[in-house]
Amino acid sequence: DFLFFWGAVFLITTTLVALLKKENKELTPTKEETKGITDTYRLLFSIIKMPAVLTFCLLILTAKVGFSAADAVTGLKLVEEGVPKEHLALLAVPMVPLQIILPLIISKYTAGPQPLNTFYKAMPFRLLLGLEFAFLVWWTPKVKHEGGFPVYYYVVVLLSYALHQITLYSMYVAIMAFNAKVSDPLIGGTYMTLLNTVSNLGGNWPSTVALWLVDPLTVKECAGAQQQTCATTVAAEV
């Protein structure tokens, strides 16, 4: 029902935009760099071959390795330790106003000549929050009781998520502001799409690797099964 409702909203709004919104031809660039999809990809390759762009792509492809495990695995581990998924989903509701307000606040600091300064300043705090998330996972089974989890536990989780969102959005808005700043206005859409795609990839591949490494790097003990490590899925099932 949720997906159906918003699907209808998207269809209606985009149709109305297509029918009612007119292009301002006066602001259209006089020189067109691309004529079709082939030219666009040629242009992308010429952009990515630039030394500065290559260096920047390497930076954003590896910048998020340090907190990939904390971002991808923490929620799953909390559920594994007995925190109800419904409760974690409810904790996401207070985050919505924060997610709306944060970009507005952070954009004031990224509007200057050096938007990446915010990115650099937020990184150590986000790395420290990774340690805090690890402590949270370790602490979770210790506060669990028969009725579930105490209220103060959820308060700690909520505050941890809120601080994480601040660091996450500081880095996200900063990188978007930088991409917008360095993109050639004439081919802004192509240029920004390339940089933002690389930026998104830089966040996704470390999370995928982190999830893949969870089982091999997790130390397990088998209760009542001598000389069994339970290190593999098959051994755990046995």
Side-chain angles (χ1 to χ4, degrees), residues 11-237:
L11 283 171
I12 292 163
T13 50
T14 49
T15 304
L16 288 172
V17 169
L19 294 174
L20 303 177
K21 180 68 180 171
K22 302 297 179 188
E23 294 287 347
N24 189 344
K25 292 182 180 179
E26 292 176 9
L27 297 176
T28 306
T30 52
K31 184 185 173 188
E32 286 291 338
E33 286 285 333
T34 56
K35 294 176 182 177
I37 191 164
T38 311
D39 289 339
T40 303
Y41 277 101
R42 280 180 188 154
L43 185 61
L44 282 173
F45 283 119
S46 66
I47 292 167
I48 208 163
K49 282 192 290 185
M50 293 163 65
V53 175
L54 261 177
T55 306
F56 179 63
C57 286
L58 285 171
L59 169 74
I60 55 178
L61 276 172
T62 54
K64 296 176 184 176
V65 171
F67 27 78
S68 57
D71 289 4
V73 184
T74 302
L76 298 173
K77 283 294 173 186
L78 292 180
V79 172
E80 193 179 283
E81 295 295 347
V83 181
K85 283 182 280 187
E86 307 82 49
H87 291 181
L88 285 177
L90 280 173
L91 290 178
V93 176
M95 294 296 109
V96 175
L98 188 68
Q99 290 166 350
I100 294 168
I101 295 164
L102 276 175
L104 298 172
I105 298 169
I106 297 162
S107 60
K108 293 177 183 177
Y109 300 97
T110 56
Q114 296 177 313
L116 279 185
N117 281 355
T118 308
F119 183 93
Y120 296 141
K121 287 173 183 174
M123 183 172 274
F125 294 103
R126 194 168 171 188
L127 287 168
L128 286 171
L129 277 170
L131 293 174
E132 197 270 338
F133 279 177
F135 170 78
L136 192 64
V137 171
W138 171 82
W139 183 54
T140 298
K142 299 186 183 304
V143 294
K144 186 180 180 182
H145 52 74
E146 288 184 9
F149 292 88
V151 175
Y152 67 83
Y153 170 79
Y154 288 110
V155 172
V156 171
V157 174
L158 187 64
L159 287 172
S160 301
Y161 276 11
L163 289 170
H164 179 257
Q165 289 295 310
I166 292 168
T167 58
L168 188 150
Y169 272 83
S170 295
M171 295 180 73
Y172 175 75
V173 174
I175 210 84
M176 291 288 283
F178 181 80
N179 291 347
K181 198 168 189 65
V182 299
S183 297
D184 186 344
L186 199 63
I187 48 167
T190 307
Y191 213 126
M192 271 201 75
T193 301
L194 172 67
L195 295 179
N196 288 339
T197 301
V198 175
S199 181
N200 289 336
L201 185 62
N204 289 333
W205 81 260
S207 296
T208 305
V209 173
L211 287 167
W212 182 71
L213 288 172
V214 168
D215 272 350
L217 294 177
T218 299
V219 178
K220 299 177 184 177
E221 293 178 4
C222 297
Q226 296 297 323
Q227 298 177 342
Q228 290 290 334
T229 61
C230 297
T232 65
T233 307
V234 176
E237 285 176 1

